[in-house]
Amino acid sequence: MAKQGDNMTDVKRTNRSAVLRVLHENGAISRKKLAASIGLTPAAITKITGEMIEEGLLREGEAVFSGGAGRREILLKTDPFSRFALGIFLNKELAVLSAVNLEGTVIFSENAVLPSNAPANETMSALCKRLLELSDRSGIPRDKIIGTGLALRGQVSENGRILKNSFGALKEYDYPIADEAEKLTGIKVVSDNNVRSLFSAHLFFSKDKEISSQFFLRCEYGIGAALSVDSRIWHGGSAQCSEIGHIPIIRKGGKPCSCGKSGCLETIASPSAILDDAKAAFSEDNTPLLYKRMAGREIDDMSLQDVLDSAAGGERATASIVGRSITALAQALKSVIYIIDPEKIVLYGHLFENAYFLDHFIAEMREGVDSGHDVSVEKSRCNLKLEDAAAGLLVIQKFIDEGGL
Ligand SMILES: [Zn+2]
């Protein structure tokens, strides 16, 4: 039976959540303005915020003139150091161990190389041990830690507890990662896919939730994406929204993909695909600019920057490889525009810091899209800065959603 009403705890939770959200979005604000923006009476706000001050979540700040008869109003703000969240951001070969406070400020961050071929339990044990060490060393009191966020590469179960396929990050499939992390740390876990976590962090910092529908594209190791509908992140029927990198592009003879299939978009358009193709095409005759750049270096030392600079310098073979990536990626995103009709497409990853790639990509995105679909395509304002905060912010955002209860 559908829920018919709210009990008192739900009402309290909703009101406290609204207080935390308004303070996050506006910074310090008077009780009067807080009451007006939430739509509660000043007396109700005084009671709610009084409890939250007692719990240390909020504190009073400076007094400002309110404009009427010389009255002064005391501003309220969140105490950012009242609560902390730890985080493990799982990439393909690397994890980022970190902690954030209530406003998403990174307290510490350390990269940990994932051992290849080690059992998942061993890897998680080492990561959790190091995470607690870093937390203690940073002086974060254990009783102020409200959870550990796990931002996970690959397919995560609908409730976020099981890492079904990490596409090569951890050895096992269907690994109960949330239970394991809770057992190892004694701290509650909130987990989600890592690209959805980055998108969620982007929304947290950019505060442009009024844009109801956004499509967030991350090109880093592979290609991942996330979607918001009506200002909420959409998980999809099997919690796999949006695995755009694994759209099948080449039916026969495509390169093997990390997901286990072959010929996926990721095998053509991802940064590692561009690099692999450039290495395969590399020769003094075929790629003279790249050849010159690589003088005295091993081919394994070739970077994406080398390839993009050679393409930007007018080298036909590398420009063609980069162009193929741009065309395939843009084609997939144009399908997104016509199917989903998002207001904004947000780009995230090193590739989009390269002017040659970004300019060509934006130009390609305009090709064949009618003026009725005026979607803005832009690089995230927080590009490359979210991996440190995203995992911990999963916990912080849940805490805000639940009113800190
Ligand atoms: Zn794939």
Side-chain angles (χ1 to χ4, degrees):
M1 188 179 159
K3 194 176 168 196
Q4 297 281 311
D6 289 331
N7 65 40
M8 290 308 285
T9 313
D10 288 338
V11 171
K12 187 173 176 178
R13 197 184 299 279
T14 304
N15 289 340
R16 286 171 55 115
S17 176
V19 167
L20 289 173
R21 204 166 295 287
V22 169
L23 290 174
H24 167 64
E25 282 164 12
N26 297 279
I29 191 171
S30 70
R31 285 177 177 81
K32 195 169 152 193
K33 282 190 180 147
L34 189 56
S37 62
I38 295 175
L40 291 174
T41 63
I45 279 295
T46 300
K47 183 171 183 298
I48 294 165
T49 56
E51 282 176 14
M52 294 170 86
I53 289 170
E54 260 177 49
E55 293 162 26
L57 274 175
L58 309 185
R59 58 185 158 92
E60 292 186 326
E62 57 181 319
V64 293
F65 285 107
S66 67
R71 277 192 58 151
R72 287 160 74 88
E73 288 179 340
I74 294 169
L75 299 184
L76 276 181
K77 53 186 176 184
T78 311
D79 183 350
F81 293 95
S82 62
R83 305 288 189 278
F84 299 87
L86 307 183
I88 301 178
F89 190 95
L90 197 66
N91 275 319
K92 189 176 179 187
E93 287 144 2
L94 198 79
V96 183
L97 306 175
S98 63
V100 291
N101 69 11
L102 212 46
E103 62 185 14
T105 303
V106 176
I107 308 299
F108 66 79
S109 171
E110 183 178 278
N111 288 347
V113 176
L114 298 178
S116 59
N117 246 343
N121 274 346
E122 245 175 58
T123 304
M124 281 307 290
S125 174
L127 292 177
C128 288
K129 184 168 175 265
R130 182 63 183 152
L131 184 63
L132 292 179
E133 276 171 12
L134 290 168
S135 174
D136 289 344
R137 196 187 292 174
S138 303
I140 299 176
R142 287 276 175 114
D143 64 346
K144 296 274 199 281
I145 297 173
I146 53 174
T148 304
L150 303 180
L152 305 169
R153 174 181 162 86
Q155 298 171 345
V156 181
S157 65
E158 283 174 55
N159 64 6
R161 307 287 299 176
I162 312 281
L163 182 51
K164 289 165 38 176
N165 181 356
S166 66
F167 299 157
L170 295 183
K171 206 174 158 195
E172 279 83 352
Y173 291 85
D174 295 318
Y175 178 62
I177 194 163
D179 287 351
E180 283 302 320
E182 284 177 353
K183 220 186 295 169
L184 289 161
T185 59
I187 299 168
K188 268 200 313 191
V189 157
V190 180
S191 48
D192 203 349
N193 166 268
N194 62 356
V195 181
R196 278 200 294 264
S197 310
L198 287 173
F199 182 33
S200 176
H202 166 85
L203 293 174
F204 183 84
F205 289 121
S206 66
K207 300 175 187 173
D208 61 0
K209 277 200 166 179
E210 71 274 10
I211 296 169
S212 77
S213 177
Q214 301 188 40
F215 192 82
F216 180 89
L217 178 80
R218 182 202 191 210
C219 283
E220 204 54 80
Y221 297 84
I223 298 172
L227 168 72
S228 69
V229 178
D230 286 342
S231 303
R232 297 194 79 83
I233 295 180
W234 186 252
H235 282 230
S238 58
Q240 292 182 61
C241 185
S242 304
E243 292 284 9
I244 193 173
H246 302 289
I247 293 177
I249 301 289
I250 298 173
R251 283 190 66 188
K252 280 186 182 158
K255 284 194 281 180
C257 182
S258 61
C259 71
K261 299 187 294 166
S262 60
C264 298
L265 176 66
E266 190 168 297
T267 65
I268 299 167
S270 67
S272 45
I274 294 173
L275 198 52
D276 287 348
D277 289 350
K279 283 177 184 171
F282 182 70
S283 74
E284 189 171 5
D285 288 342
N286 196 31
T287 58
L289 283 183
L290 189 56
Y291 194 84
K292 212 167 150 194
R293 285 182 68 94
M294 293 300 294
R297 290 154 66 197
E298 296 291 322
I299 193 165
D300 282 347
D301 293 336
M302 188 189 291
S303 70
L304 195 60
Q305 193 66 43
D306 292 323
V307 181
L308 294 171
D309 286 352
S310 302
E315 183 168 83
R316 202 158 359 131
T318 42
S320 153
I321 291 166
V322 176
R324 191 162 93 117
S325 156
I326 287 172
T327 306
L329 197 54
Q331 194 60 40
L333 280 181
K334 285 177 211 175
S335 299
V336 168
I337 290 175
Y338 275 88
I339 296 168
I340 308 289
D341 189 22
E343 288 172 65
K344 191 192 266 191
I345 292 177
V346 180
L347 308 172
Y348 191 90
H350 281 87
L351 263 183
F352 304 113
E353 290 298 322
N354 183 278
Y356 173 82
F357 189 94
L358 185 63
D359 292 351
H360 281 75
F361 179 72
I362 298 283
E364 180 68 31
M365 283 301 296
R366 291 199 190 102
E367 286 292 319
V369 177
D370 65 87
S371 58
H373 286 87
D374 190 21
V375 56
S376 89
V377 181
E378 61 183 52
K379 190 172 66 175
S380 167
R381 273 172 260 169
C382 317
N383 196 26
L384 310 182
K385 293 180 187 150
L386 297 174
E387 278 82 354
D388 293 343
L393 276 177
L394 287 172
V395 178
I396 299 295
Q397 301 209 67
K398 185 165 188 276
F399 184 79
I400 292 175
D401 285 346
E402 295 178 349
L405 289 169

